[in-house]
Amino acid sequence: MSGQSTSDHATPGRVTARSDVPVLMYHSVRADPPSATRTLSVHPDRFAAQLDALLELGLTPVPFGALVAHWRTGAGLPARPVVLTFDDGYADFHAEVLPRLVERGLTASLFVTTGWLADAAPADRAGAPLDATLCWSQLKEIEAAGIETGGHSHSHAALDAVRPGVLGDELARCRDLLEDRLGRAEQVFCYPFGYSDARVRTAVRSRGWAGACAVANTLARPAQGPYALARLTVRRRTELSTFRRLVQGVGVTRHYLADRALTKGYAVVRRTRTSLVPVRTWERDRP
Ligand SMILES: [Zn+2]
């Protein structure tokens, strides 16, 4: 189990639970998305084909928290895990994603921006969602179906750019609302825009989240630490053949170098900052 190996030349089928795991980043699954989410909104038919490809390849979706627990405590995982994550809390998760997961008996992790929810109390409304969002009753139904929910801040602020008081408020409101409304402390967090730095990661850790995911377009590995586990962006234009290679760890670096060249507004500066002082310890703060 070589945690340091690059997987670009790995033989398909050799991704192992302990070394590197594909964590997929989705936002929306819609046939006809608004322009604001279009590049990151996967067509429902393509999404269904991706799920079937995972199963055909022998990969087993597990919640993000299960991967964190596996690397922290050695908790068991299937032999070939994959993690499906969904950011922001768009309504199409309930309409398009959930039925396709349920009919295949699969799980995923959904990261919720609490101030964006469709029926957020007036005092809790914050930020500006890019598309219709879920409501609390749908979140309960989603949790009851075995989907993991996690935090994605309260207003979808770029947490590495806000004042300390705002950072604390973004984390506390998100965590408290999820805990109050869903009845349990959420274990996992996801940085809005993927942006974090050492201060943000330390704050997330000290608030009691067990782990957090970023966006680094590489496979997740233990050396990244539990508060900056990498994810692979799945775009609307991601071909099924490409998807099949990526989830097997084949051609990941090459694919995302080309992807970066095609993606406007790529945050090179922030990504550089992100890599400076990560919280790499798997030791855990207790809230
Ligand atoms: Zn987001």
Side-chain angles (χ1 to χ4, degrees):
M1 312 252 185
S2 58
Q4 301 303 316
S5 68
T6 86
S7 291
D8 281 22
H9 306 291
T11 307
R14 291 186 58 193
V15 174
T16 61
R18 298 208 70 90
S19 61
D20 44 21
V21 172
V23 179
L24 305 176
M25 180 181 72
Y26 292 93
H27 282 75
S28 157
V29 173
R30 272 189 72 163
D32 191 18
S35 58
T37 62
R38 186 169 184 86
T39 59
L40 290 175
S41 182
V42 176
H43 192 285
D45 294 343
R46 177 71 60 84
F47 178 66
Q50 291 171 350
L51 294 180
D52 291 336
L54 294 177
L55 295 173
E56 187 200 317
L57 291 166
L59 291 159
T60 305
V62 299
F64 182 69
L67 178 62
V68 173
H70 174 66
W71 280 335
R72 177 172 280 120
T73 68
L77 271 192
R80 299 192 63 210
V82 59
V83 182
L84 285 75
T85 68
F86 294 81
D87 289 14
D88 298 350
Y90 294 116
D92 57 59
F93 187 92
H94 187 268
E96 305 286 359
V97 177
L98 185 63
R100 289 171 174 82
L101 293 174
V102 167
E103 72 186 17
R104 292 167 178 81
L106 303 179
T107 191
S109 298
L110 171 66
F111 294 107
V112 179
T113 305
T114 43
W116 279 12
L117 288 168
D119 58 351
D124 290 333
R125 281 187 199 134
L130 303 176
D131 197 359
T133 51
L134 295 163
C135 61
W136 283 107
S137 63
Q138 289 173 322
L139 274 183
K140 285 186 180 165
E141 196 184 322
I142 287 163
E143 274 221 322
I147 308 301
E148 177 180 52
T149 55
H152 193 46
S153 84
H154 185 66
S155 76
H156 208 275
L159 298 179
D160 64 334
V162 299
R163 288 178 289 109
V166 176
L167 172 60
D169 194 50
E170 286 282 342
L171 299 180
R173 291 184 79 183
C174 177
R175 190 171 174 85
D176 291 350
L177 280 167
L178 289 171
E179 191 168 346
D180 289 349
R181 299 298 295 265
L182 300 180
R184 67 180 188 89
E186 306 309 312
Q187 292 297 303
V188 288
F189 190 81
C190 171
Y191 307 110
F193 311 103
Y195 298 158
S196 74
D197 55 17
R199 178 185 68 126
V200 172
R201 294 176 199 177
T202 300
V204 168
R205 181 183 177 213
S206 68
R207 291 272 171 190
W209 273 292
C213 49
V215 189
N217 286 324
T218 186
L219 298 179
R221 297 186 173 91
Q224 293 158 357
Y227 295 96
L229 289 171
R231 293 187 294 173
L232 305 174
T233 306
V234 183
R235 299 186 189 283
R236 192 171 193 84
R237 66 167 184 255
T238 305
E239 297 289 345
L240 189 59
S241 56
T242 304
F243 179 87
R244 292 174 65 98
R245 284 197 300 278
L246 294 175
V247 297
Q248 296 177 90
V250 177
V252 173
T253 303
R254 190 166 55 245
H255 171 75
Y256 285 105
L257 280 173
D259 183 76
R260 183 167 59 177
L262 285 170
T263 306
K264 286 181 184 171
Y266 186 74
V268 174
V269 174
R270 284 178 185 273
R271 267 176 51 97
T272 303
R273 282 178 61 187
T274 294
S275 65
L276 287 179
V277 194
V279 177
R280 283 205 167 123
T281 176
W282 286 84
E283 298 268 314
R284 210 183 150 184
D285 284 352
R286 302 283 169 189

